[in-house]
Amino acid sequence: MLNEKTILLIIGGGIAAFKSLDLIRRLREEGARVVPVLTKAAEEFVTPLSVSGLAAEKVYRDLFDLTDEAEMGHIELSRAADLVVVSPATADLLGKMAGGLANDLASTLLMATDKPVLVAPAMNVRMWEHPACQRNVAQLKQDGVLFVGPEEGTMACGEFGPGRLSETPDIIAAIRAALTEGPLKGKHILVTSGPTHEPIDPVRYIANRSSGAQGTAIAKALRDLGADVSFVTGPADVPPPRGVRVIRVETAREMKEAVEAALPAEAAVFAAAVADWRVTSESGSKIKKTQGKLPVLEFSENPDILAGVSQRTEGRPRLVVGFAAETDDVIAHATAKRKRKGCDWIVANDVSPATGIMGGVENAVTLITERGADEWPRMSKDEVARQLAYRIADHLSGN
Ligand code: C5P
């Protein structure tokens, strides 16, 4: 819930501005107070009347509106909120923010505020990918501005690619995360999750039974403690959590690339069930069924992503956590694995079919650290995730 929180919502002038009406409604349902600000261009897309009606607040529109200045100056307005949200954030607004311009009410508020700022960009794909826009985004990230989206998809203009405004529940999750004062606040943590799919030909692949449930629960638990989570996931059964940066991959090699691109991070949790082998030469066309002839597949070893990150001499996360899914001699195998891979902790579990853990909702794990093995009682995967997230928070804070 967002009870008692005030959000200054700056609505930019783009086709996605109409979605801000839904955002206002949902934020109010969560108990937040929403103070809306409209740019001149935004008024072409939504009317001040509908915005103020939904927010049940006055709409602020003009820097030089003397009544506003008499009631509340723009400096005060910029600081009266707990969080400033810009949605949709147009290329123009991002440019103004990155360049430090303050020539209308919205840009002046963004310069004057001493509160965190979260932007939800929305624009045409070419505009988003333009080097000038990407420069501005990089600058804003460096300045500490928080981002949610944009998402990839079909746009109002008919083109396809990144540039769509994030869905309202995702923006709300990002708002909640920005307002969370958890022990992992401001810490970037990488989580891998789900299986990988290794193609045989364009229609067939090799996979495993991982559902992605444990990795997803860990990403959620870390997010709930305030972490900024990058979630690299293979094709899992469960949807990725909201309020985290989701990077979808298929193969082990794609996962490795995505992990490397997401670093640096303060901690990394490798919960993915990465396929150990891939088919050496993937067939470009579907392998035909030929009478009396069986295909012979040759395998190559996949890169070990966990070992690669653990053994880095530069840019190694302070804490690297691996998983060991074993069917016998769990502690002995997992302890050896911790040494072999070079990670700090191993979360070991028994995945023999009788335990019902693989694909189930419960887990029974043993945490293996440099101090030895700590056996946890059987509990839900969500609870395992919560306990692990607290242990990670403790470790990173030096306890
Ligand atoms: O060697 P094994 O697959 O049992 O190791 C499991 C751990 O290593 C998990 O944390 C898994 O995410 C990680 N792993 C990896 N890359 C691989 C294989 C496993 O990151 N190719």
Side-chain angles (χ1 to χ4, degrees):
M1 289 298 274
L2 293 165
N3 274 338
E4 320 260 314
K5 297 290 182 195
T6 300
I7 289 154
L8 185 71
L9 175 65
I10 296 176
I11 304 172
I15 191 83
F18 76 93
K19 291 192 185 166
S20 58
L21 299 178
D22 186 39
L23 180 62
I24 294 171
R25 191 176 60 80
R26 304 266 199 107
L27 285 170
R28 294 200 61 217
E29 278 171 9
E30 298 237 355
R33 176 176 170 229
V34 183
V35 178
V37 175
L38 278 173
T39 65
K40 273 264 162 331
E43 288 185 27
E44 302 290 330
F45 297 93
V46 284
T47 71
L49 202 59
S50 48
V51 170
S52 88
L54 278 166
E57 292 281 343
K58 175 184 170 57
V59 182
Y60 293 86
R61 299 155 62 187
D62 194 350
L63 184 57
F64 299 108
D65 185 329
L66 290 180
T67 341
D68 292 353
E69 288 293 314
E71 279 175 12
M72 183 190 269
H74 59 269
I75 304 290
E76 212 182 322
L77 181 61
S78 77
R79 297 181 186 173
D82 297 293
L83 177 72
V84 181
V85 176
V86 188
S87 179
T90 58
D92 177 63
L93 266 172
L94 293 179
K96 278 184 180 165
M97 288 171 74
L101 300 185
N103 60 355
D104 59 8
L105 180 60
S107 52
T108 305
L109 292 172
L110 285 160
M111 279 287 278
T113 190
D114 58 355
K115 295 298 183 315
V117 177
L118 170 74
V119 298
M123 67 194 73
N124 168 272
V125 54
R126 297 265 168 276
M127 292 174 76
W128 173 253
E129 285 173 348
H130 193 286
C133 187
Q134 286 304 309
R135 261 198 316 272
N136 291 336
V137 169
Q139 181 62 55
L140 290 170
K141 284 188 176 164
Q142 205 181 322
D143 295 346
V145 171
L146 304 165
F147 278 74
V148 51
E151 305 303 322
E152 203 165 81
T154 313
M155 311 209 189
C157 54
E159 286 184 50
F160 182 88
R164 266 172 75 97
L165 185 70
S166 290
E167 295 299 328
T168 304
D170 291 319
I171 298 177
I172 291 186
I175 290 173
R176 237 190 250 122
L179 290 168
T180 303
E181 285 302 333
L184 291 173
K185 177 101 187 156
K187 297 206 161 45
H188 179 216
I189 302 189
L190 171 72
V191 178
T192 72
S193 181
T196 63
H197 285 183
E198 308 296 331
I200 297 171
D201 66 18
V203 296
R204 303 182 180 96
Y205 58 84
I206 293 168
N208 59 62
R209 292 190 196 280
S210 164
S211 63
Q214 187 63 82
T216 301
I218 290 168
K220 272 189 196 157
L222 292 166
R223 173 203 68 190
D224 289 347
L225 295 187
D228 168 19
V229 178
S230 291
F231 184 68
V232 179
T233 177
D237 295 342
V238 294
R242 297 197 184 275
V244 306
R245 195 173 306 105
V246 181
I247 305 120
R248 292 175 200 271
V249 297
E250 290 257 333
T251 66
R253 281 173 298 170
E254 284 169 11
M255 187 171 274
K256 177 174 185 279
E257 234 171 77
V259 162
E260 281 166 2
L263 290 174
E266 304 227 17
V269 182
F270 291 86
V274 185
D276 291 313
W277 314 283
R278 66 173 181 276
V279 176
T280 307
S281 25
E282 176 192 347
S283 168
S285 53
K286 187 180 168 194
I287 301 171
K288 290 272 171 288
K289 193 159 68 176
T290 319
Q291 205 70 44
K293 212 174 144 223
L294 294 174
V296 177
L297 299 178
E298 196 190 317
F299 288 94
S300 301
E301 200 166 327
N302 267 330
D304 191 318
I305 309 166
L306 168 64
V309 170
S310 298
Q311 289 160 26
R312 272 177 168 229
T313 45
E314 253 174 65
R316 183 192 192 276
R318 275 167 60 200
L319 178 67
V320 180
V321 184
F323 272 69
E326 308 287 349
T327 51
D328 52 280
D329 255 344
V330 176
I331 295 182
H333 280 137
T335 305
K337 190 166 287 177
R338 179 179 165 269
K339 283 251 156 61
R340 197 167 62 243
K341 304 244 187 188
C343 58
D344 304 297
W345 298 353
I346 284 266
V347 181
N349 53 6
D350 184 347
V351 292
S352 36
T355 64
I357 284 173
M358 202 96 172
V361 293
E362 284 192 332
N363 207 349
V365 308
T366 302
L367 181 66
I368 296 175
T369 68
E370 77 284 5
R371 291 192 220 155
D374 182 10
E375 242 175 283
W376 293 5
R378 192 172 171 121
M379 52 181 110
S380 71
K381 287 185 177 173
D382 284 347
E383 194 50 37
V384 168
R386 258 193 300 276
Q387 306 266 351
L388 186 66
Y390 276 112
R391 292 287 289 255
I392 292 173
D394 264 7
H395 184 89
L396 292 182
S397 67
N399 295 333

